[in-house]
Amino acid sequence: CDGFFFVCTVFTACELGVFDVLLAAERPMSAEEISQAVGASLDGTQRLLAACGGLQLLNVHQDGEQVFYSNTNQARVYLTSSSPRSLYHCTQYSSKTIYRCWNYLTDAVREGRNQYEKAFGVSSKDLFQAIYSSDEEMVRFMQMMNYIWNICGKAVVTAFDLSPFKDICDLGGKYFSVKLFPCEPCVCVCVCVDFINLPSADL
């Protein structure tokens, strides 16, 4: 039960931009400064920051009666949106999409089928109808996949002997990076994005 609370705390801090604000400031900030920067109530921000401190995502600095906060190294690397190893978009997709499905786990067990219709109002027969229900939802999904590869792509690729293959085609994603093959100059990676026309900057 506590694990759910912990995860929701991380989701909320990421969505509000707490870690990004602290990264940009390059100095410890007070709860009042952070609440103003993220556009949230002071009381709510204080409680959120205290929770993040308890989860060791924020460093807590005491200066007399004043309390200041800064990112821990883990938060800076994995929870700021600009980090090369960021999981920020994964948290947002989980918060906005995946957790909505899990809200109906009891119904899924009783009925023996997925709950996309209740969660998203689309047919339970088609997962991708939910993923591509809007441009915003699809971009969120693509961003999540891209950032997942930043974290585990190299481990997945190096787990297999791909030496017989000179061409690799990733159908439907921009997230399969050529960077995964720095020692294989002969490998040609073709990425096919064929769902909707989106500017590359949005992906």
Side-chain angles (χ1 to χ4, degrees):
C1 185
D2 288 346
F4 174 78
F5 303 147
F6 298 158
V7 169
C8 287
T9 298
V10 176
F11 288 170
T12 299
C14 286
E15 183 173 349
L16 289 174
V18 169
F19 306 110
D20 285 343
V21 164
L22 288 168
L23 179 68
E26 299 183 337
R27 62 172 177 81
M29 298 177 68
S30 68
E32 185 174 6
E33 290 176 310
I34 296 170
S35 70
Q36 292 175 353
V38 303
S41 70
L42 177 57
D43 180 65
T45 302
Q46 288 174 326
R47 294 171 186 269
L48 179 63
L49 296 174
C52 288
L55 293 175
Q56 299 183 348
L57 299 175
L58 294 178
N59 297 311
V60 182
H61 311 272
Q62 190 82 34
D63 185 7
E65 295 184 357
Q66 282 273 52
V67 179
F68 298 89
Y69 299 89
S70 64
N71 287 329
T72 62
N73 186 58
Q74 282 188 323
R76 180 183 58 78
V77 172
Y78 296 110
L79 299 178
T80 57
S81 61
S82 60
S83 169
R85 296 181 64 80
S86 175
L87 292 173
Y88 171 85
H89 290 292
C90 295
T91 70
Q92 295 309 288
Y93 189 77
S94 295
S95 174
K96 302 295 184 183
T97 302
I98 295 176
Y99 263 53
R100 287 173 64 182
C101 291
W102 281 83
N103 283 332
Y104 299 97
L105 179 59
T106 303
D107 292 337
V109 173
R110 284 175 176 158
E111 300 171 12
R113 61 190 178 91
N114 68 61
Q115 299 296 307
Y116 297 127
E117 187 169 356
K118 291 179 182 176
F120 303 107
V122 301
S123 171
S124 294
K125 297 179 180 180
D126 187 357
L127 162 64
F128 290 97
Q129 185 180 347
I131 292 177
Y132 306 131
S133 59
S134 68
D135 291 0
E136 180 184 5
E137 183 68 12
M138 200 198 83
V139 169
R140 188 183 295 126
F141 173 75
M142 298 290 282
Q143 287 174 326
M144 178 200 68
M145 296 300 290
N146 184 46
Y147 279 82
I148 285 177
W149 274 105
N150 284 342
I151 301 298
C152 63
K154 184 176 181 180
V156 172
V157 169
T158 55
F160 303 95
D161 179 14
L162 300 177
S163 59
F165 305 97
K166 298 305 177 186
D167 297 285
I168 296 177
C169 180
D170 178 22
L171 180 60
K174 183 174 178 283
Y175 41 85
F176 199 93
S177 175
V178 179
K179 294 178 182 178
L180 296 177
F181 299 92
C183 299
E184 298 289 345
C186 295
V187 172
C188 175
V189 180
C190 175
V191 179
C192 302
V193 181
D194 194 33
F195 298 113
I196 58 176
N197 295 320
L198 290 172
S200 59
D202 290 338
L203 300 177

